[in-house]
Amino acid sequence: MPGFEFFGAEERKEVNDVLETGILMRYGFDGPRKGIWKAQELEKAITEVFGCKYAQLTSSGTAALTTAMAALHIGAGDEVIMPSFTFVASFEAVLSVGAIPVLVDIDETLTLDPAAVKAAITPKTKCVMPVHMCGSMADLDALKQICREHNLILLEDACQSIGGTYKGKALGTIGDAGTFSFDFVKTITCGEGGVVMTNNEDVYVKSDAYTDHGHDHKGVDRGADLHPYLGYNFRISELHAAVGLAQIRKLDTFLSIQRKNNKALRAYLEAIPEVSFRKVPDEAGDSCSFLSWFLPTEALTKALVAELKEQGILAGNFYWYANNWHYISKWDHLKTAASLNRLSAQQEQVLLQLQTAQFTASDAIMSRCISTSISLLWTDEQIREKGEKLAAAVRKVLANNTVHA
Ligand SMILES: *Cc1c(COP(=O)(O)O)cnc(C)c1O
């Protein structure tokens, strides 16, 4: 997945363009910047590469989600339906605009189960936010249909699936708005950064103002801009945008290597009948930044994860070990509403209810799922070695656990 694996002369050149003028800010200073507008250039490249009308860069993917929600008028008390498996940024953004995160089960797409979404709709529901986790996509046709029927906003958190597509359209450009993150471990990195993509001019104009203190950007200079509404500072800097510009030009290379390496590793697991793979609603659109697969039972998966850990083999399971950032079972600070400042009474109440909420369907998937991040730097020889070791570990665990499985 990470673009930082292909970092070099191209990024340095773009950054140097900015350092030579010394104009690190994306707005103003028209004379001294000598025609260097990296943020604008990157926004234009994003609209062209991903096929959307408008792109507004931000300082992070979290800021992009927050901005998109504000621009879509999602605010105090509005319910946003989101999956139990995501990165914490998704609910941080919902809470920061005063809205209520409504967590629901995932299915084997590793994101929103459309039936669970339907069941969670109330008169307060305003938005459905699928998170295209680990490089692949939600069942977007089903979610779009639900949004249409119930007059809801569809906001795609596509932060982890840069370059993925659904029925020929880029993930992140299909809903009312969508976001990417360009943080350090994403497919394209700016160091830190993000983007709101939309085909709706109104959402774009509002995103543009919101990320810059509400400036309407219509004045003869910054001092003359009007502030039609509140905004914040979620601006990206020219330095960060410059890095992203070099990275986006390499996206096709990143994707073709990801797809090749993913396929090669997958072949070792496909040879084992007990292994099944994540459901991908449009196989051709998988960005292949991860290889996500399942063993038949929770017990076998737990045993395999322990075996892989012992052997020091790279493989991720967000349920048993990997980290504390991605699955509800680990989000204690969310479930205890542990906030430095006071949340709204309604937000607090909903979060505390998560302590007793059951996510049985999600548990049954997450406890059997392994998501392996695909490196761009693996050689064929390294993939062969990894594939053989991984397959041997799976076979060993299956053989040792035949009685209990
Ligand atoms: C990375 C990520 C974000 C945003 O992250 P930033 O680090 O703020 O750029 C949001 N959602 C998901 C699913 C992510 O993986």
Side-chain angles (χ1 to χ4, degrees):
M1 165 158 88
F4 72 70
E5 293 180 325
F6 265 57
F7 194 91
E10 303 86 348
E11 285 77 4
R12 276 196 296 277
K13 192 239 158 233
E14 293 297 326
V15 171
N16 273 332
D17 287 350
V18 177
L19 291 176
E20 271 162 30
T21 67
I23 306 304
L24 311 186
M25 187 180 180
R26 68 163 300 179
Y27 297 114
F29 304 92
D30 295 23
R33 71 190 313 133
K34 300 188 179 132
I36 306 279
W37 300 89
K38 297 296 181 189
Q40 280 185 23
E41 219 183 312
L42 180 54
E43 282 165 346
K44 185 158 176 286
I46 289 168
T47 59
E48 287 165 4
V49 169
F50 299 102
C52 57
K53 280 199 185 142
Y54 307 101
Q56 176 63 45
L57 285 166
T58 57
S59 50
S60 72
T62 314
L65 284 170
T66 307
T67 299
M69 279 187 247
L72 289 159
H73 302 254
I74 297 165
D78 293 331
E79 292 179 356
V80 178
I81 298 179
M82 54 166 286
S84 60
F85 174 49
T86 180
F87 177 55
V88 292
S90 314
F91 62 72
E92 289 166 358
V94 174
L95 290 170
S96 74
V97 297
I100 308 288
V102 175
L103 278 78
V104 304
D105 272 323
I106 58 164
D107 60 18
E108 290 201 352
T109 62
L110 299 185
T111 190
L112 293 177
D113 171 5
V117 170
K118 252 188 188 163
I121 293 172
T122 76
K124 285 187 189 160
T125 307
K126 182 122 182 200
C127 172
V128 175
M129 181 167 70
V131 184
H132 304 304
M133 284 299 278
C134 301
S136 171
M137 78 239 41
D139 183 347
L140 281 167
D141 277 350
L143 296 176
K144 271 197 323 208
Q145 176 68 18
I146 293 171
C147 288
R148 218 175 292 126
E149 274 167 22
H150 296 267
N151 194 25
L152 303 174
I153 292 161
L154 182 66
L155 170 59
E156 298 173 79
D157 179 343
C159 290
Q160 287 198 13
S161 57
I162 298 172
T165 57
Y166 179 73
K167 302 193 174 172
K169 286 188 180 157
L171 299 179
T173 67
I174 295 163
D176 296 285
T179 63
F180 289 153
S181 159
F182 302 128
D183 79 20
F184 192 53
V185 297
K186 297 303 204 281
T187 302
I188 290 176
T189 186
C190 291
E192 298 286 359
V195 68
V196 178
M197 292 172 292
T198 183
N199 291 310
N200 179 324
E201 186 180 4
D202 181 61
V203 173
Y204 164 67
V205 168
K206 286 170 178 163
S207 297
D208 175 60
Y210 192 77
T211 53
D212 187 24
H213 305 291
H215 277 256
D216 68 355
H217 298 140
K218 287 182 184 160
V220 286
D221 56 36
R222 275 182 76 70
D225 283 349
L226 298 177
H227 299 78
Y229 27 68
L230 285 174
Y232 298 89
N233 178 1
F234 291 147
R235 294 186 302 254
I236 196 165
S237 81
E238 285 286 281
L239 290 171
H240 292 87
V243 174
L245 203 48
Q247 289 259 303
I248 199 170
R249 294 189 189 121
K250 303 183 200 176
L251 179 64
D252 284 345
T253 308
F254 293 172
L255 292 172
S256 68
I257 299 172
Q258 257 172 208
R259 291 193 165 118
K260 176 173 97 32
N261 290 358
N262 187 305
K263 196 173 164 204
L265 188 64
R266 181 178 168 127
Y268 290 91
L269 295 167
E270 276 173 341
I272 305 173
E274 289 86 349
V275 171
S276 61
F277 294 88
R278 174 229 196 117
K279 185 176 157 199
V280 178
D282 178 4
E283 291 277 355
D286 190 347
S287 79
C288 288
S289 54
F290 285 78
L291 176 62
S292 301
W293 45 287
F294 305 102
L295 282 185
T297 69
E298 197 177 309
L300 283 168
T301 315
K302 192 175 184 184
L304 176 67
V305 172
E307 174 69 26
L308 294 175
K309 209 177 176 194
E310 198 177 297
Q311 291 192 35
I313 300 174
L314 178 88
N317 173 279
F318 298 104
Y319 190 80
W320 301 111
Y321 293 108
N323 65 48
N324 294 332
W325 316 324
H326 289 93
Y327 188 54
I328 179 138
S329 61
K330 309 282 181 87
W331 296 336
D332 289 337
H333 65 309
L334 182 71
K335 293 185 273 187
T336 55
S339 176
L340 290 175
N341 49 6
R342 192 139 42 113
L343 298 173
S344 76
Q346 194 191 357
Q347 284 179 323
E348 196 172 282
Q349 187 197 354
V350 168
L351 297 187
L352 294 176
Q353 282 166 2
L354 287 172
Q355 290 181 20
T356 49
Q358 296 293 316
F359 294 91
T360 321
S362 304
D363 289 341
I365 289 162
M366 295 305 293
S367 62
R368 294 189 298 110
C369 180
I370 308 255
S371 282
T372 306
S373 174
I374 301 297
S375 167
L376 301 173
L377 299 179
W378 289 342
T379 62
D380 290 349
E381 178 54 27
Q382 283 171 327
I383 295 172
R384 190 178 61 78
E385 195 188 318
K386 278 173 204 303
E388 283 175 358
K389 277 191 181 167
L390 205 52
V394 173
R395 290 200 169 93
K396 180 178 165 189
V397 165
L398 288 170
N400 287 349
N401 292 275
T402 43
V403 183
H404 313 288

